[in-house]
């Protein structure tokens, strides 16, 4: 099993990543997921994270099969 | 005094209350259809609605178009949570939230929030609360096209409750 990573809006452009699966090896938290896909880029200060479509922080534990998303502040309505 | 009005608080299925659409939004048509399908005539005494419409200006620049992106699945779930919270806080007969995504032009309606209740206070207050919660918590993002054809992401929504801000 793997972790599905999704990025939206300006975050998709920042990381040049829309959707991707990564292996679970060495991944314990949302922050680890970021390091795995960000290619050394720092996480912008206002980044929002979600695990399985619920908002989560960087320390949140992730498991095999989870969906992890990164996106900027929301601007709907 | 006992009231005959008894919306089934917190027990009703509200899952029909959220719609994300890509086609043009006609808020008044949505309102009429929903009310005829889901509300009982004579039970509600107040309907409060908010319609958000695309402007042709933002932060001092002319805007010619916009694309609205969302997070399919999470957006619907977040809106449902926000609606469930409103039902907890106020006695409401029903709520409808319709949000458009995809490409839009100035003048296009973006969002409809409608609240039905026995009395105006709950309808007004819940409608305002829902709209502010949607703006700050539901995963939607706006990308604007400016008059010079450049594009930019809207970085944050304005705070609708701020006293020095008249733009919700």
């Amino acid at each position: 099993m793997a972790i599905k990573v999704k990025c939206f809006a300006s975050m998709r452009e920042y990381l040049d990543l829309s959707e991707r699966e990564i292996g679970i090896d060495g991944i314990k938290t949302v922050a680890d997921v970021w390091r795995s896909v960000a290619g050394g880029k720092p996480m912008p200060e206002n980044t929002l994270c979600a695990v399985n479509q619920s908002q989560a922080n960087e320390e949140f534990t992730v498991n095999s099969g989870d969906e992890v998303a990164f996106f900027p502040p929301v601007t709907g309505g | 005094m006992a009231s005959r009005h008894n919306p089934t608080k917190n027990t009703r299925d509200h899952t029909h209350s959220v719609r994300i659409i890509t086609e043009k939004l006609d808020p008044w048509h949505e309102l009429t259809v929903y009310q005829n399908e889901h509300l009982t005539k004579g039970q509600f005494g107040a309907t409060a609605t908010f319609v958000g419409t695309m402007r042709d200006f933002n932060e001092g620049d002319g805007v010619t178009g916009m694309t609205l992106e969302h997070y399919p699945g999470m957006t619907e779930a977040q809106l449902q949570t926000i609606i469930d919270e409103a039902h907890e806080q106020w006695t409401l007969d029903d709520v409808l939230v319709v949000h458009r995504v995809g490409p839009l032009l100035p003048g296009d309606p973006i969002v409809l929030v409608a609240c039905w209740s026995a009395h105006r206070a709950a309808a007004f207050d819940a409608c305002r609360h829902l709209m502010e919660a949607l703006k700050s918590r539901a995963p939607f993002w706006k990308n604007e096209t400016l008059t010079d054809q450049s594009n930019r992401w809207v970085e944050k929504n304005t705070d609708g409750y701020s006293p020095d801000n008249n733009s919700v």
Side-chain angles (χ1 to χ4, degrees):
Chain A
M1 287 287 275
I3 295 170
K4 186 181 283 186
V5 185
K6 292 184 173 183
C7 295
F8 294 94
S10 57
M11 188 61 72
R12 182 181 55 246
E13 296 173 357
Y14 178 65
L15 293 184
D16 191 22
L17 169 64
S18 176
E19 189 172 327
R20 180 179 152 191
E21 291 206 345
I22 61 168
I24 189 73
D25 286 352
I27 305 285
K28 287 193 172 63
T29 65
V30 168
D32 293 334
V33 174
W34 175 271
R35 278 189 285 275
S36 175
V37 299
K41 287 184 180 175
M43 185 185 285
E45 201 176 326
N46 53 11
T47 297
L48 300 174
C49 313
V51 175
N52 297 330
Q53 305 191 350
S54 291
Q55 209 162 321
N57 60 30
E58 288 179 63
E59 288 75 42
F60 198 91
T61 302
V62 295
N63 297 295
S64 184
D66 282 351
E67 178 175 301
V68 178
F70 299 102
F71 45 84
V74 302
T75 56
Chain B
M1 196 169 83
S3 167
R4 290 198 306 133
H5 179 261
N6 183 28
T8 50
K9 195 175 182 181
N10 305 333
T11 58
R12 183 178 294 191
D13 173 16
H14 305 299
T15 52
H16 50 255
S17 293
V18 174
R19 290 214 317 127
I20 309 294
I21 63 171
T22 52
E23 67 272 20
K24 256 189 184 295
L25 168 58
D26 179 346
W28 317 119
H29 178 70
E30 293 279 347
L31 201 62
T32 304
V33 168
Y34 191 86
Q35 185 168 295
N36 288 340
E37 281 185 13
H38 296 287
L39 278 291
T40 306
K41 277 181 186 166
Q43 284 291 293
F44 58 93
T47 310
T49 63
F50 175 87
V51 176
T53 305
M54 191 193 150
R55 282 176 278 113
D56 66 1
F57 62 93
N58 191 29
E59 294 181 2
D61 297 310
V63 181
T64 59
M66 176 185 284
T67 301
L68 258 155
E69 182 177 333
H70 75 305
Y71 183 171
M74 183 173 176
T75 305
E76 291 85 344
Q78 282 285 86
L79 290 173
Q80 199 60 59
T81 299
I82 290 165
I83 290 170
D84 290 344
E85 289 169 3
H87 278 285
E88 293 280 339
Q89 193 169 344
W90 292 280
T91 303
L92 302 168
D93 287 77
D94 216 327
V95 170
L96 173 62
V97 175
V98 186
H99 203 294
R100 190 169 166 197
V101 295
L104 286 90
L105 294 171
D108 283 352
I110 302 170
V111 61
L112 163 70
V113 174
C115 296
W116 289 265
S117 185
H119 302 288
R120 66 188 179 282
F124 271 131
D125 292 354
C127 189
R128 179 72 188 269
H129 173 84
L130 281 159
M131 192 57 215
E132 298 301 335
L134 181 156
K135 283 253 180 194
S136 61
R137 291 163 56 192
F140 293 100
W141 301 275
K142 294 187 180 113
N143 187 287
E144 298 175 325
T145 303
L146 305 182
T147 46
D148 65 4
Q149 294 304 305
S150 64
N151 289 286
R152 70 180 177 197
W153 291 100
V154 176
E155 288 189 357
K156 61 173 190 168
N157 271 337
T158 51
D159 177 4
Y161 286 118
S162 172
D164 56 357
N165 177 15
N166 293 318
S167 58
V168 176

